[in-house]
Amino acid sequence: MTTTDDDPTTLNHREKHVTGATIWLTGLPSAGKTTIAYELAGRLRDEGHRVEVLDGDEIREFLSAGLGFSREDRHTNVQRIGFVAELLASNGVHVLVPVIAPYADSREAVRKRHGAEGTPYVEVHVATPVEVCSERDVKGLYAKQAAGEISGLTGVDDPYEEPESPDLRIESHTQTVQESAASLYALLSERGLA
């Protein structure tokens, strides 16, 4: 059976198509990535958008179990997250990804995957200084590293390559969570994604 532009099923399909996007929030541990992501997710959901938050800790538990924290394992983890994000975004979901993703080449590979598929991708650097992150120390990682209980903490004794030209840089230590989320929402609106 063929359909025409006047066919009601075709029209309904077009009306339901909504542009999704991947919004990747990168930054140090305890920078505020996840907090900002959930704040923005609430606002987007209130407006009727389909939203998923791909939290780094949950991904490690369910999708990347067994991976360590070597450069290769971190790269693999980021690529897995990027694949899932692109898949969801290409199906009309706003995907918020608050994941450290410490290496520029890993983040660039994710951006290129989105570009190749024509899926909108926004990179946000939550640029909170390590001193502020270590004071917040949401998960106690900085304290454990200082006590010698763990090593390989991103931004302390493992590298973090800051994005050179992110789509947005948020200094979460100088504004409220709501202000941070609002600045990101404004960028999405400007690009026709909110």
Side-chain angles (χ1 to χ4, degrees):
M1 180 176 129
T2 58
T3 60
T4 66
D5 283 343
D6 296 329
D7 187 298
T9 57
T10 305
L11 293 173
N12 286 340
H13 177 72
R14 264 188 298 197
E15 287 170 14
K16 290 179 183 175
H17 179 74
V18 179
T19 301
T22 294
I23 301 101
W24 196 293
L25 295 93
T26 178
L28 296 174
S30 297
K33 303 177 299 297
T34 303
T35 306
I36 294 167
Y38 278 107
E39 179 71 24
L40 179 61
R43 181 169 183 179
L44 291 170
R45 282 190 187 107
D46 286 348
E47 293 182 356
H49 295 283
R50 295 167 59 205
V51 181
E52 289 293 336
V53 177
L54 299 183
D55 181 88
D57 292 335
E58 292 175 358
I59 295 292
R60 279 249 174 218
E61 182 179 351
F62 297 107
L63 188 64
S64 294
L67 289 181
F69 291 91
S70 67
R71 185 180 181 107
E72 183 179 290
D73 281 358
R74 288 178 193 249
H75 179 77
T76 299
N77 184 50
V78 168
Q79 297 317 298
R80 288 178 183 176
I81 298 168
F83 173 78
V84 173
E86 194 284 322
L87 190 64
L88 289 167
S90 68
N91 283 283
V93 179
H94 283 65
V95 187
L96 302 174
V97 186
V99 173
I100 296 168
Y103 302 114
D105 59 345
S106 296
R107 295 189 305 264
E108 185 57 26
V110 171
R111 181 187 288 277
K112 283 182 178 172
R113 169 184 288 283
H114 281 71
E117 297 297 327
T119 305
Y121 178 85
V122 177
E123 183 180 72
V124 180
H125 179 206
V126 183
T128 310
V130 69
E131 300 79 25
V132 175
C133 293
S134 64
E135 285 173 20
R136 291 178 180 171
D137 205 7
V138 178
K139 299 171 191 165
L141 298 175
Y142 292 93
K144 287 179 182 175
Q145 191 277 336
E149 295 173 24
I150 62 168
S151 62
L153 181 59
T154 302
V156 179
D157 59 354
D158 210 56
Y160 176 72
E161 299 170 358
E162 290 191 4
E164 290 183 15
S165 53
D167 297 290
L168 179 66
R169 195 176 312 275
I170 293 175
E171 297 187 1
S172 72
H173 58 293
T174 65
Q175 57 191 20
T176 67
V177 172
Q178 292 76 18
E179 288 168 338
S180 295
S183 64
L184 180 45
Y185 181 87
L187 174 65
L188 295 178
S189 295
E190 184 182 296
R191 296 191 177 183
L193 300 172

